[in-house]
Amino acid sequence: MQVNENKEFQPLIVAFCCNWCSYAGADLAGTNRLNYPDNIKIIRVPCSCRVNPMFILRAFQRGADGVILCGCHPGDCHYTSGNYFTRRRMTLLFSMLDFLGIERNRTRVEWVSAAEGAKFAATMNEFTEAVKKLGPNRRLEDLRCRKQ
Amino acid sequence: MLKISLDKLDKLFEAITASKTLYIPVDREDGAAEYRKYKSGMKLSNALNTVRSAKDFFFPQTENLVDFKMDGKNIEVIDIRKESEDFVIFGVRACDARSFTILDKVFLAEPVDSYYKNRREHGTVVTMACTRPAETCFCGTFGIDATSPEGDAACYSDGENLFIEAHNEKGQKFIDSISALLEDGDTAKLEETRSKTREILKKLPLANLSTDSFGGDKLNEYFNSDKWGELSESCLGCGTCTFVCPTCQCYDIKDFNTGHGIKRFRCWDSCMYSDFTKMAHGNPRLTQLERFRQRFMHKLVYFPANNNGEFGCVGCGRCLSKCPISMNIVKVMKALEVK
Amino acid sequence: MQRIGVFVCHCGTNIAATIDVKAVAETLSKEPGVIVSQDYQYMCSESGQNLVKNAIKEHNLTGVVVCSCSPRMHENTFRKAAASAGLNPYLVEIANIREQCSWIHKDIASATEKAIILGKAAVAKVHLNAPLTAGESPVVKRALVIGGGIAGIQTALDIAEAGFDVDIVEKNPTIGGKMAQIDKTFPTLDCAACILTPKMVEASQNEHITIHSFSEISDVKGFVGNFTVTIKKKARFVDETKCTGCGLCTEKCPMKKVPNEFNMGLDNRSAIYIPFAQAVPKVATIDPNYCMMMKTGKCGICSKVCSAGAIDYKQQDQYIEQKYGAIVVATGFNPINLDKYDEFAYNQCPDVVTSLELERLMNAAGPNGGTLLRPSDKTHPHKIVFVQCVGSRCDDSKGKPYCSKICCMYTAKHAMLIREKYPDTEVYVFYIDVRTPGKNFDEFYRRAVEQYNVHYIKGMVGKVTPRSDGKIDVQASDLLANEQLHIDADMVVLAAAIEPDKTARPLATMLTTQMDTNDFFTEAHPKLRPVESATAGIFLSGACQGPKDIPETVAQASAAAAKAIGLLVKNSITCNPCVAHSNELMCNGCSSCEKVCPYGAITYIDKEFKMPDRTVAIRRVASVNPAVCQGCGACTVACPSGAMDLNGFSNSQIIAEVDAICK
Amino acid sequence: MNKNLKEQVLRSSGVNVLKCMRCGKCSGTCPSYDEMEYHPHQFVYMVERGDIETLMNSKSIYKCLTCFACVDRCPRNVEPAKVVEAVRLAAVRQQGNNHMNPNQIPEMLDDDMPQQAIVTAFRKYIK
Amino acid sequence: MQEAMINKAKQLLSEGVVNRVIGWKRGEFAYDITPAVFENAEEIEKSFVYDDFTAANVSKYLVKESKKDGKILAFLKPCDTYSFNQLIKEHRIIRENVYIVGIPGGPKLDAEKIKAKGITGILGVKNENYTLKIDTIYGEETMPFYEAVLDKCASCKSKKHVIYDELIGEDGDTLDSNRFDMVEKLENMTAQERYDFWRSQLSKCIRCNACRNVCPACTCEKCVFDNPDSGIENKAPSDSFEENMFHIIRAFHVAGRCTDCGECSRVCPQNIPLHLLNRKFIKDINTFYGEFQAGEDITSLAPLNEFKQNDCEANIIHERGVE
């Protein structure tokens, strides 16, 4: 969490991007100089299916205000089926977080192909705005990790 | 003896909270009782006991010991110890009151546990005599009189009034602090209540359970007993018995990396867990049998061996009602007992 | 203790203009384990790489973090540099501070802060990197070509030429594909059969080539260098080894009313048939849907006339399992179905034909022996209208969004051939654009217009209405004249869009290769790796990858062959070391990982273990074949006990990155 | 060129005129082609250029039968008939620009007039 | 029933079909019954019990027991057979080493519910026409039978045995239970209300691991929460996050594998309704991917180990129900 005094709330957002589509899409956004907020910090994973729910919870524990998971479009997975598993896993995880009363808009899955630099930037802009509206993550935060 | 009418209890609690933090057992929605910090309007629970014992106040489940702050390659050690606030635990039963004596033998013996000592010194234990013991009670087995609980001060109820007496200086100070609300009372009805309770205690199903077969000198008799196998085979290896037990005092020390530093904390551990006593070379107690045996041998043999015959159990009965598979110290004692 | 070196690249001003690179290097130098932190103008240049190499040697580094462009760009560069300096290449991590930082942010302060965080994450990860060694797996020296059209034939011939065994699997009774059906080829107008059939014969006679005609792929297992393929040889009810191709049976067969696929159903064949005279293999096939013997049990004439005794009505489908090192997909194309285009009256009027049907109508081996006659009344057409882009460049559900690429040229060819052979015929071509990039292509089209007087009209046919007098009313717009035309044509020829063969999609699933939404196989890189699929060891040849004409197909076929040969000459291939591995002590043997593995890389073994309680037990544990695993990580999440982990992207590494970012 | 009008036509038609690849199939298929001064493909192109007023002043906007042949056959899903309709609406929306009075219609009827033309005439010639 | 079971056990032991019997052993009071392995007829005669309090699911013990020498007789209630099947599917039990006798199930009673009525000093419990006559030190008390029924039995999903070698008594059917009512009720709350509900529940957690250790789906050789290398190892509920994390991850790990046997809630010393987390997953799986009952068979793929190309997108969660 980065709170600059007299400035609006700046959320910390972790984006997990699959190496083959979304990470390349993020690169393309960069190549095309498509701006998106510096709140987004990308972690590269081989496939969206590598993302364990544990990682997402971990990010929230450590003070992330939003977590977005990006992968290849269904049917385009470099590993054929990885993102289909991701989709089921994340559906259930998000549903559970929602069930526990965690703000549902702190999590998101988006499919971004290597060619969709513009979509990547737009998605990140939109998601950052959504998380900004929610304010700091308090319901799924580990107080021990909060910075004094 | 000094007394206060039971319907004026809230006044009493308000008076206590004027100077100290007060914890009392209250009923939860699910029917169980737990200690909570007193807030106006709270009602004292009539339950015999809380799910978690009163040991939490002196030996909490997790306790931060020290912090390390990391900045790049530098590490700074931060002593986070603070003087504890004065507090009162009200309504402690005789069994839990005795458990503090047992914990004291562990934590206040050299080397003294300063975290525990700090809390112990600032806490006043006000006990409450039992009137409706349950079938799971067997405090008598360990020489505890449920109608005369220990503690810094003790309370007794005759159904109308609450009588209070001090057992020591701290207890007297406590009574002094609330003396404005107290008046002298006639104890005739109280004595009647207490003797009735004593009669019930004698009739409890476990009233005849005896420690005669156990003690510090019984290591050889029981360590290799063939009973351990069948006793432990259904044990799930969970920590329920340990965590609800008022006398279990084992803990683990762990580091938690907060990202910008380390919080070193201790937390309850259970000898029933597979990683209990795990060391660099591995774990000396490899099977659940050995871990199960450790817990009961500790309470019935090792602890008395090191503490002048005092057993590591107070007969509160929590493990009897909470063990998921209903295996408990009573079943162990009965199985091992030499008749 | 870790000894990590951090190298921050300026990338000229690409990074340095937005990020205070000195500050990044300075801040990261204070991270635990970092003992050297430098910045340099171009880290990927030779001198930049030398900086890294020298630091590795000088400081005896155990890990390297390069803050630069995307790892997709230069991860390999720096890994190689590290390897040459004696550091395991997998101890290098890249922090992407160009594409994902300097290029998208404008504010120097916040971009620098983000770059530092990305750098810290990379440092945190490299702390946990383990040296990895790539394993090797042997290469089976045999290739499989799926599809026996010109693409498949050319690929097979080129691979055979290099001395490797190659099998062609063709689903039809003969190889040859679409090219065998084509009459003449543009822009040279030579006869397709004349140039194709020698290649077919060459393929059948080449000692390295085995042709499995009338066969399909039923299963593919394995991975690059080591595929195991099951080929289903469909029963043709004729013993291939005995049949001499004399054709007596086809003559004597009493069932002669079978639509002839080879001639696009414009004439009939017998129930036992050889698709065309130059078929390879020249072997008869019985069509069980029409054969009287097969349907009623009465007939058996072919069996009686066959002196070779090749007829076998009881023949069963046969399955052959074969190992291959490389697979080339050459499944080709088909014209799309025009049923949905009511406005062109294709289903209502026999004289509205597709271009491929016209090829057969004009071919000497076609239904009319090479004389162009209307299918309806066998008269000479005197006015022919060609309609371009039927189903191509369509944004609707009926057609295809892409340009089919070959139609402009073959239509010019058709128009020219008709005008050449029947000068009394008027030919109209309705076009949206005429697309003729290619050697001698535009000249060819201009010849059709200038020399042969083909009427090219810019506009589209809106409606085709068969009239009772046998003429066809073609209503179209002439955009340049700004008028609506009505042409009373004798024939209408539709340039139907082409689409990948229907067998491609299930095949792609078996091969675990990617396809685009149009079912064309996706190449590994649209520019730099056009004949490889993203799945290692699978190559693409011909129109299965996208619309192509013959010269392009042949060129790509040879390119795919070259790539396949490049793989087959190796005795073994280096595997990706970033693969999953199972901690056997923690594995429960529950099979979750096996169920989600797309590659079948996980098997279970029963293994003896010393259990924590001093007993010895045989436990079922997962075992990953590192040569098969591609490293997606699906199994790591499916595993509830966390026994499965991924090299290079381990749980602890990703968690370390998360922690560093959220610090 | 009137930008507002173009906006209005694009909005009310919901058509993306940029999808047009100028194949002319709409005009090739249009049964009213010969009646029109500006043909379906020209409508699309002129709207793209913003030349709306010319179209609004042309009788062509009343010649479209809304048979939707162009919509059905357009390979790019451009839907020219909707553009024509939108231009017509733009004209109709201007006060006093009624193309004709319904009372006039009976005398205009003849046997050759398609019924659809009558129905559409009622629907769109007045507000 | 108890008599028939004892006879069956003695018969199978004497015939040599099995060499051990897993069942339930009488305790000190009416309700403190312990799962136990019996090795001979005398032991069985002496202390084998099957009554209203024998709720414990013994199938998890068979993970270990089925790997010992000889065949073991297991008496399985309908709900236990689902757990057993699931364990076979996951290769945790050696089927050949278990002889299953299916027995009628609940409803079983919950001593905690009797005690929650303020009834204490319980010496004996009798069921007379669905009224419980409870003999206590303080005299006889009564309460309606159904008010003392275990939560898991009150929303029983099936009376059918999905696997057995033989049955004692009739087999039942799967039931159209009301088990998702509470999940639905929570779903219809606002996010803040849900958050408050779960905080009030999960903050009671003492991380005794009883829920995990009793769970037939939790048979990992080493649990991630006990593994210092997993990154989420922790022994204590040190922070509200830890409490949430433990239960989310645990529910996720058993998602699609949990048969909804209800043991987690039964054994929780703090009465946390943990089964609601599992049921939430079951309900979601049913809604999103079609009806699925873990343990019903041994061949079907777990919902998280398969997919359909037209599965709903994860963001469906953002669009449905109450925010």
Side-chain angles (χ1 to χ4, degrees), chain A residues 92-122:
Chain A
L92 291 188
L93 177 70
F94 293 177
S95 178
M96 180 54 76
L97 293 178
D98 183 40
F99 190 59
L100 291 177
I102 313 302
E103 301 94 334
R104 48 172 74 168
N105 289 324
R106 291 199 190 279
T107 48
R108 178 94 64 97
V109 169
E110 284 293 341
W111 310 126
V112 180
S113 81
E116 293 175 327
K119 182 180 177 187
F120 186 87

Side-chain angles (χ1 to χ4, degrees), chain A residues 58 88 95 104 107 111 139, chain E residues 192 231 284 303 313 318 322:
Chain A
R58 179 81 168 201
R88 284 201 169 190
S95 178
R104 48 172 74 168
T107 48
W111 310 126
R139 293 184 188 168
Chain E
Q192 182 68 48
D284 278 347
E313 293 298 334
H318 302 107
V322 181

Side-chain angles (χ1 to χ4, degrees), chain C residues 193-224:
Chain C
C194 311
I195 54 177
L196 173 68
T197 48
K199 279 198 180 282
M200 290 163 64
V201 174
E202 202 187 326
S204 73
Q205 289 174 349
N206 191 305
E207 53 173 350
H208 288 300
I209 299 179
T210 310
I211 298 170
H212 297 289
S213 63
F214 212 51
S215 299
E216 287 166 7
I217 305 298
S218 69
D219 189 37
V220 179
K221 281 203 178 67
F223 51 96
V224 54

Side-chain angles (χ1 to χ4, degrees), chain A residues 61-62 142 144-147, chain B residues 256-260 263 265:
Chain A
Q61 175 185 33
R62 303 282 151 154
D142 195 323
R144 297 170 296 178
C145 300
R146 197 191 273 191
K147 276 182 289 281
Chain B
F256 176 76
N257 185 345
T258 63
H260 39 84
K263 282 192 181 300
F265 67 96

Side-chain angles (χ1 to χ4, degrees), chain E residues 120-255:
Chain E
T120 186
I122 302 166
L123 300 172
V125 180
K126 261 184 288 179
N127 172 13
E128 282 176 15
N129 264 332
Y130 295 101
T131 297
L132 291 182
K133 296 257 157 82
I134 303 151
D135 180 25
T136 79
I137 310 166
Y138 305 101
E140 194 184 78
E141 305 262 7
T142 60
M143 73 181 284
F145 178 88
Y146 281 103
E147 288 181 17
V149 163
L150 272 167
D151 283 341
K152 71 172 191 169
C153 297
S155 54
C156 177
K157 65 179 179 292
S158 175
K159 297 271 183 205
K160 187 177 148 188
H161 296 82
V162 289
I163 188 168
Y164 56 83
D165 292 305
E166 66 176 287
L167 282 178
I168 297 184
E170 294 282 297
D171 201 8
D173 283 322
T174 53
L175 305 176
D176 199 12
S177 80
N178 54 353
R179 59 185 176 138
F180 297 122
D181 289 2
M182 187 59 194
V183 175
E184 244 162 61
K185 198 179 145 194
L186 282 165
E187 285 171 346
N188 290 327
M189 292 179 175
T190 65
Q192 182 68 48
E193 284 167 343
R194 285 198 295 272
Y195 179 72
D196 293 341
F197 172 83
W198 282 112
R199 280 311 317 139
S200 76
Q201 291 296 344
L202 296 179
S203 62
K204 294 191 288 189
C205 177
I206 56 172
R207 189 66 88 74
C208 63
N209 292 316
C211 51
R212 179 192 74 185
N213 290 16
V214 81
C215 176
C218 276
T219 61
C220 284
E221 296 290 328
K222 189 166 193 71
C223 176
V224 287
F225 289 103
D226 291 345
N227 180 2
D229 298 329
S230 73
I232 53 170
E233 179 244 11
N234 210 342
K235 241 179 200 165
S238 325
D239 185 273
S240 59
F241 176 85
E242 286 287 351
E243 293 151 11
N244 288 342
M245 167 94 158
F246 176 78
H247 293 288
I248 296 172
I249 293 285
R250 209 186 82 75
F252 192 85
H253 278 180
V254 302

Side-chain angles (χ1 to χ4, degrees), chain C residues 127-314:
Chain C
H127 263 282
L128 299 162
N129 278 21
L132 302 175
T133 317
E136 294 201 329
S137 85
V139 176
V140 177
K141 307 258 172 198
R142 190 182 187 93
L144 170 66
V145 176
I146 304 170
I150 180 60
I153 293 169
Q154 184 63 46
T155 303
L157 285 172
D158 287 350
I159 295 174
E161 179 77 7
F164 295 105
D165 287 338
V166 50
D167 294 359
I168 299 176
V169 171
E170 167 58 52
K171 66 178 183 306
N172 291 320
T174 172
I175 58 170
K178 291 285 171 301
M179 188 172 169
Q181 290 175 280
I182 293 172
D183 184 38
K184 297 273 184 343
T185 58
F186 60 78
T188 47
L189 296 183
D190 33 13
C191 146
C194 311
I195 54 177
L196 173 68
T197 48
K199 279 198 180 282
M200 290 163 64
V201 174
E202 202 187 326
S204 73
Q205 289 174 349
N206 191 305
E207 53 173 350
H208 288 300
I209 299 179
T210 310
I211 298 170
H212 297 289
S213 63
F214 212 51
S215 299
E216 287 166 7
I217 305 298
S218 69
D219 189 37
V220 179
K221 281 203 178 67
F223 51 96
V224 54
N226 200 359
F227 295 103
T228 305
V229 180
T230 310
I231 300 164
K232 175 182 168 189
K233 276 185 96 79
K234 295 180 281 187
R236 70 199 310 166
F237 309 106
V238 172
D239 188 334
E240 265 180 73
T241 55
K242 290 182 187 161
C243 176
T244 59
C246 69
L248 195 58
C249 53
T250 65
E251 273 169 44
K252 301 288 180 196
C253 176
M255 181 62 213
K256 291 228 161 30
K257 286 268 159 70
V258 188
N260 184 355
E261 307 85 348
F262 185 71
N263 280 336
M264 305 304 289
L266 293 165
D267 66 353
N268 291 329
R269 60 163 167 83
S270 46
I272 183 163
Y273 67 107
I274 296 173
F276 56 97
Q278 300 92 337
V280 170
K282 196 165 180 191
V283 173
T285 305
I286 296 179
D287 187 337
N289 297 321
Y290 292 96
C291 172
M292 321 257 274
M293 187 64 187
M294 309 281 282
K295 287 174 76 182
T296 63
K298 287 178 196 136
C299 182
I301 292 174
C302 51
S303 174
K304 280 172 211 144
V305 300
C306 182
S307 53
I311 309 292
D312 175 7
Y313 299 115
K314 296 248 156 46

